[in-house]
Amino acid sequence: MADRRGMPVYFLAIIATLSICNAVASSSVVHPVSDPHRSAAVELFTPAGRSLSLEETYEALRTFEVLGVGKAKLRSDGCLSVLEVLKSAPSSPKDLYYALKVNGLSKCTSERAVFEIAASRLKAALSDASSLLDYHYTVGGLVLIKDQSPDVDVALSDAKGTFQSIKALSQSDGRWRYGSNNPESSTYAAGVALETLAGIIKLEDSEISPSMISAVGNDIKKLFDSIEKYDDGTFYFDEKVVESLEYRGPLATSSAVVVGLSSFASVASEKIDIPGEVLLGLAKFFLAIGVPGDSKDLFYQINALACLENNRRVSVPLILSLPATVLSLTKKDQLKVRVTTVLGANSPPLKLKLRQVLKSDAADVSVIDSQELTHDSEGGFYYLDVLPDNIDVGKYKFVFQILLEDPEHKKSYATGGRIHVPIYVSGVVNVENAVIAVLDSDLGTVDTQKNLDLVKRNDISLSANHLQKLRLSFQLSTPRGLAYTPHQAFLRLKHETKVEHIFVVGNTGKQFELVLDFLRLVEKFYYLSGRYELEVAVGDSVMENSFLWPIGHIELDIPEAPEKAPRPPPVAADPYSRFEVKAEIQHIFRAPEKRPPKELSLAFLGLSFLPFIGFLGGLLSLGVNLKNFPSAPVPATFALLFQVGIGAVLGLYMLFWLKLDLFTTLKAVGLLGAFLLFVGHRILSHLAATSAKLKSA
Amino acid sequence: MTRSDAQALIRSLRSAYAATPKNLKIIDLYLAFSVSSALIQVIYMAMVGSFPFNSFLSGVLSCVGTAVLAVCLRIQLNKENKEFKDLAPERAFADFVLCNLVLHLVIINFLG
């Protein structure tokens, strides 16, 4: 193996050191594969009323294998088709491939003779192969035979040539074409090609030189340059051209690339350099789908996640998930975090630190010092006993960091640096000292004052005239005793005629106060005197006790409206009437023109023939004759052709009006015209010659 | 002008006209046909409105155009016209046919 050492410098064996870097990956929380996936798999892969094809059987069995679900019936049904394909006469390489895949998972047969026949058929198909999928099925089938029956001869006759033919289909951006006569390149095809190339290496690694492997490594690097990403650190692959007939969507494409990458990485002699954050981003992409609703999507997701988890040549992503992101101070919820692999298996020993807690409106100052979460080995999660005192109600971003204990593991796991998780801390906001008062305007003395209890309905009654003011005040404080500004704090006045006015209650610190100066508000109130119902509303998404309480009424005495005062807007009887179905709009396109009655048109059609008949009659009365028509055969034919030619052109015009288009007509006119010119020239020059002879004679 | 003067005028015009060569009379007949055709179309349009205006124009201009070309032919064929003494009548006729064919191509295109 001396020639494998001393590799090109760019093909370094550094992997996942970036996992410790402080890449800020802001994230939404994803959850690893768990029981909902298992029950979805059982449900999706048993379609009612039809039998599964070999490809679908393989997808089902592979998904069940990864998820740890047993399905004996599927196995036995699958075996029937497998044996049929392997034993009976011509089967396509695709059928053989999937039959061998199903056989590998359900162990239907291990007869050496069956595998020998299959191997010889696949080898024959390989020698005829020309497209990428042909290579994929034949090489893949031979690899499966090698795994299932090691003593069958699956040696490739020309491994190097096959490798190079597949490599020849690669494009400069790392994508692959499906065949030499197919100009479109596809990322999905790149995944398939990588898997196939890995298969060739598995079958015949001595023939493949290190330079060829490193060339493919370059293609992988270029392919990963075209990876797309979302802002939250999720990476995925998609096709460049989405309108092609073979477009499969980002899930299938990313899954194919992951499978291809992991197959190739497991057989390549050097490590393939893919940054840990990219693998973690891919894992997050697959997990962020949740539980897919389609069996093929579930297969793509689970197969790709299994490849990410089980391949030790590229780093294994570790997923941080939280069962709950809303913590209640009232219930004294604990912060619980789980760190697992993508399939839900336990992570290696690690420390989980809560680095920072950032308030959503002051995003750079941490509310707490860095602390470590305690590990509960029974439940498999990390928790914080008690939320620190500084954490009050509100929206926060908790910043976690995973620190692996074994330095060896740092190279083989991708942890994602600092992970931001949005957390809501909810609690009960206390309302105190709620008072409503009517004040005399100038002096500010209190005329009437009533206390309110804003934990329930109140029924106070006040009266005021337009020279007075209304003051509402209360205090809000969080469970920790601090001031809090909720999202909504309103006072609503509703008149008997259902006209409403809503005022925002402003605050300084804990004290909320609203003063309504009726002198200034008479115009806004449309000069309506009478009884106004009062309601107080205070609410926020993190308040557990948001409320809307009617508190009573106030009799307002406002002077009469002057002439030009604005009228209140009419209030519909039913406030939801504007959401009702509206009348259908009749579209009137340009009204069709009035056409004349049919009889009139037909009458004029007849009339228009009259001048022509008159013309013919006139000709007859003039004594028109055809005496000058040439009698000698040659001129006679030309004369006839001339008339026919003119007739033909007029006939062509009729056809043009009825159905031809201008270009065809012009072409035909050109041809006919040339003919007519020639013929016309002959006959007319003949006539001219004869008349000249007559004249001179 | 008395009635007998008018009658005398018409008679003299008639006799003079009878002396015109036959081919020119044929052309005059063709002119009458084409103009009366145009007139009928105009009367129809006046009655029912000009809705497919392009068709109306096409029809009327076809009649008028061919009348104009016939007039040109008549001028060129008239032996009393010293200007066109050297022009062969067959040549004039060939021009007439060609121009008519081009005119009718355009007319049919515009007819719609």
Side-chain angles (χ1 to χ4, degrees):
Chain A
M1 301 281 256
D3 55 332
R4 287 193 196 263
R5 305 219 185 95
M7 291 312 304
V9 175
Y10 58 75
F11 209 64
L12 298 172
I14 302 169
I15 215 181
T17 50
L18 292 162
S19 61
I20 320 176
C21 85
N22 282 335
V24 172
S26 70
S27 60
S28 45
V29 175
V30 291
H31 295 277
V33 168
S34 54
D35 287 335
H37 287 87
R38 293 187 179 87
S39 39
V42 170
E43 208 180 289
L44 290 171
F45 282 114
T46 44
R50 67 175 181 91
S51 59
L52 298 175
S53 70
L54 271 176
E55 189 174 345
E56 288 165 339
T57 314
Y58 159 64
E59 287 171 2
L61 286 173
R62 169 76 175 143
T63 312
F64 290 146
E65 180 200 33
V66 172
L67 292 175
V69 173
K71 205 66 175 159
K73 180 163 189 305
L74 193 62
R75 244 171 258 253
S76 53
D77 287 344
C79 276
L80 291 172
S81 348
V82 166
L83 292 170
E84 196 184 303
V85 167
L86 288 178
K87 290 194 175 158
S88 68
S91 323
S92 68
K94 182 172 172 177
D95 288 336
L96 280 172
Y97 174 75
Y98 282 113
L100 288 164
K101 280 242 186 222
V102 173
N103 191 44
L105 290 172
S106 15
K107 313 269 181 295
C108 303
T109 174
S110 47
E111 290 172 47
R112 188 180 158 151
V114 173
F115 289 120
E116 298 226 333
I117 302 173
S120 62
R121 273 196 234 142
L122 285 171
K123 278 198 238 187
L126 179 57
S127 52
D128 290 332
S130 58
S131 79
L132 178 63
L133 289 175
D134 290 339
Y135 286 120
H136 176 61
Y137 294 130
T138 46
V139 170
L142 289 169
V143 170
L144 289 163
I145 293 179
K146 183 173 178 178
D147 287 336
Q148 293 169 31
S149 178
D151 22 323
V152 173
D153 172 31
V154 289
L156 295 176
S157 53
D158 182 17
K160 194 160 173 170
T162 317
F163 194 98
Q164 275 165 344
S165 333
I166 300 178
K167 181 78 178 69
L169 293 171
S170 70
Q171 303 290 89
S172 55
D173 59 355
R175 292 186 166 92
W176 242 265
R177 285 180 294 151
Y178 277 105
S180 40
N181 50 359
N182 191 339
E184 282 174 9
S185 65
S186 150
T187 316
Y188 184 90
V192 169
L194 289 172
E195 209 184 329
T196 318
L197 291 170
I200 299 183
I201 299 177
K202 258 192 232 171
L203 291 174
E204 208 82 44
D205 70 346
S206 55
E207 277 195 44
I208 312 294
S209 69
S211 59
M212 292 160 80
I213 299 186
S214 62
V216 178
N218 261 348
D219 283 328
I220 295 181
K221 228 196 259 244
K222 280 184 261 176
L223 186 64
F224 272 76
D225 282 340
S226 72
I227 201 170
E228 305 194 39
K229 92 183 254 193
Y230 289 125
D231 286 336
D232 61 356
T234 306
F235 287 88
Y236 65 98
F237 287 97
D238 202 356
E239 303 287 5
K240 206 162 43 175
V241 174
V242 300
E243 288 90 19
S244 84
L245 291 169
E246 289 151 357
Y247 177 66
R248 284 184 173 86
L251 174 57
T253 315
S254 310
S255 175
V257 174
V258 165
V259 169
L261 169 73
S262 88
S263 329
F264 195 82
S266 61
V267 296
S269 39
E270 306 78 26
K271 277 195 168 186
I272 312 249
D273 182 14
I274 307 285
E277 78 171 343
V278 170
L279 292 163
L280 187 60
L282 278 168
K284 279 204 269 195
F285 171 72
F286 291 117
L287 290 174
I289 297 171
V291 179
D294 183 53
S295 60
K296 223 165 169 73
D297 286 344
L298 183 62
F299 165 71
Y300 284 133
Q301 183 196 42
I302 299 293
N303 196 23
L305 287 171
C307 287
L308 282 173
E309 171 134 334
N310 295 323
N311 193 315
R312 298 289 147 175
R313 301 296 301 270
V314 291
S315 33
V316 177
L318 287 176
I319 303 291
L320 185 125
S321 60
L322 281 86
T325 50
V326 179
L327 304 170
S328 163
L329 288 175
T330 341
K331 288 190 250 171
K332 299 206 189 327
D333 283 341
Q334 279 183 338
L335 175 69
K336 282 200 188 124
V337 182
R338 294 193 67 210
V339 179
T340 59
T341 62
V342 292
L343 292 180
N346 287 331
S347 55
L350 53 88
K351 284 207 224 319
L352 182 63
K353 284 221 171 121
L354 176 60
R355 283 274 181 215
Q356 293 177 316
V357 171
L358 307 168
K359 255 188 107 71
S360 48
D361 50 358
D364 31 345
V365 176
S366 174
V367 175
I368 56 152
D369 295 324
S370 171
Q371 29 188 285
E372 192 181 317
L373 279 81
T374 336
H375 181 53
D376 177 354
S377 36
E378 268 179 27
F381 55 86
Y382 298 82
Y383 65 94
L384 208 54
D385 242 346
V386 164
L387 278 178
D389 285 338
N390 304 20
I391 296 185
D392 206 347
V393 273
K395 303 177 186 71
Y396 294 92
K397 271 208 159 80
F398 280 39
V399 182
F400 294 98
Q401 191 171 22
I402 299 175
L403 295 169
L404 291 160
E405 285 181 9
D406 188 347
E408 281 300 310
H409 287 156
K410 289 198 179 123
K411 288 197 206 112
S412 28
Y413 287 94
T415 55
R418 292 200 171 201
I419 304 165
H420 291 225
V421 179
I423 301 260
Y424 287 77
V425 180
S426 69
V428 171
V429 170
N430 301 313
V431 188
E432 283 146 3
N433 298 342
V435 173
I436 189 162
V438 175
L439 311 170
D440 283 324
S441 67
D442 291 337
L443 306 165
T445 51
V446 174
D447 186 15
T448 36
Q449 177 166 307
K450 300 268 168 75
N451 287 334
L452 297 168
D453 185 12
L454 283 176
V455 296
K456 60 180 181 14
R457 235 189 125 104
N458 287 260
D459 208 5
I460 52 122
S461 80
L462 296 168
S463 65
N465 62 34
H466 68 289
L467 296 169
Q468 292 177 313
K469 298 184 196 174
L470 180 72
R471 182 177 71 193
L472 170 70
S473 61
F474 51 86
Q475 286 174 344
L476 292 178
S477 58
T478 65
R480 307 256 189 237
L482 299 171
Y484 186 72
T485 310
H487 188 223
Q488 300 176 342
F490 301 136
L491 172 69
R492 177 156 78 175
L493 284 92
K494 195 157 149 181
H495 190 239
E496 303 156 315
T497 56
K498 301 223 190 307
V499 175
E500 336 185 300
H501 307 278
I502 299 181
F503 298 94
V504 176
V505 182
N507 72 317
T508 39
K510 285 197 209 173
Q511 179 71 14
F512 282 74
E513 192 173 283
L514 170 70
V515 176
L516 294 180
D517 185 358
F518 291 122
L519 195 57
R520 299 221 173 86
L521 291 171
V522 281
E523 196 166 321
K524 185 171 155 81
F525 280 27
Y526 304 110
Y527 294 92
L528 290 171
S529 294
R531 187 181 157 115
Y532 283 82
E533 299 289 328
L534 297 165
E535 282 179 342
V536 174
V538 173
D540 195 272
S541 53
V542 296
M543 247 175 90
E544 289 173 10
N545 60 330
S546 305
F547 59 82
L548 168 64
W549 294 124
I551 55 173
H553 65 269
I554 180 169
E555 295 282 344
L556 264 186
D557 185 16
I558 295 181
E560 282 293 314
E563 284 290 316
K564 296 258 179 72
R567 298 273 131 225
V571 179
D574 176 11
Y576 292 105
S577 61
R578 64 184 142 145
F579 300 121
E580 277 173 2
V581 175
K582 296 226 171 8
E584 184 155 335
I585 302 173
Q586 294 290 351
H587 293 280
I588 300 176
F589 297 107
R590 192 176 63 117
E593 300 276 347
K594 228 177 40 139
R595 305 309 293 265
K598 207 161 159 193
E599 299 77 17
L600 185 64
S601 309
L602 287 173
F604 264 90
L605 180 67
L607 255 180
S608 58
F609 283 118
L610 271 183
F612 185 62
I613 297 171
F615 176 62
L616 288 178
L619 282 179
L620 282 175
S621 74
L622 272 181
V624 152
N625 56 39
L626 282 172
K627 282 199 204 111
N628 239 355
F629 198 81
S631 44
V634 168
T637 38
F638 278 123
L640 201 60
L641 281 175
F642 183 60
Q643 304 297 335
V644 163
I646 295 183
V649 173
L650 293 176
L652 176 69
Y653 288 168
M654 277 295 105
L655 264 183
F656 173 37
W657 183 48
L658 287 174
K659 59 175 173 172
L660 291 179
D661 65 351
L662 185 61
F663 299 106
T664 337
T665 319
L666 282 177
K667 263 187 269 185
V669 159
L671 291 169
L672 271 178
F675 165 71
L676 202 59
L677 269 173
F678 170 66
V679 165
H681 176 75
R682 289 299 298 270
I683 181 63
L684 286 172
S685 49
H686 169 85
L687 280 175
T690 28
S691 68
K693 243 187 270 169
L694 271 175
K695 241 193 263 180
S696 60
Chain B
M1 283 279 265
T2 60
R3 196 170 154 200
S4 53
D5 287 334
Q7 277 179 343
L9 184 62
I10 291 170
R11 237 177 286 129
S12 67
L13 277 172
R14 264 221 188 117
S15 53
Y17 187 67
T20 54
K22 208 198 266 188
N23 53 355
L24 295 185
K25 279 197 202 152
I26 295 174
I27 295 177
D28 291 338
L29 203 55
Y30 182 70
L31 269 171
F33 151 58
S34 136
V35 168
S36 55
S37 219
L39 239 90
I40 291 179
Q41 287 178 61
V42 171
I43 293 171
Y44 181 63
M45 189 275 284
M47 285 173 72
V48 302
S50 69
F51 165 50
F53 193 55
N54 56 314
S55 314
F56 162 67
L57 276 183
S58 188
V60 166
L61 288 180
S62 138
C63 296
V64 168
T66 192
V68 166
L69 289 171
V71 165
C72 293
L73 182 66
R74 193 183 196 281
I75 290 173
Q76 287 172 342
L77 289 183
N78 200 347
K79 294 215 174 31
E80 289 169 25
N81 216 335
K82 297 293 174 269
E83 232 174 68
F84 293 103
K85 200 161 52 134
D86 300 323
L87 183 68
E90 284 77 20
R91 170 68 200 277
F93 180 65
D95 285 341
F96 173 73
V97 168
L98 183 68
C99 293
N100 256 314
L101 289 180
V102 172
L103 171 73
H104 282 92
L105 175 68
V106 174
I107 289 298
I108 294 280
N109 194 23
F110 198 53
L111 195 58

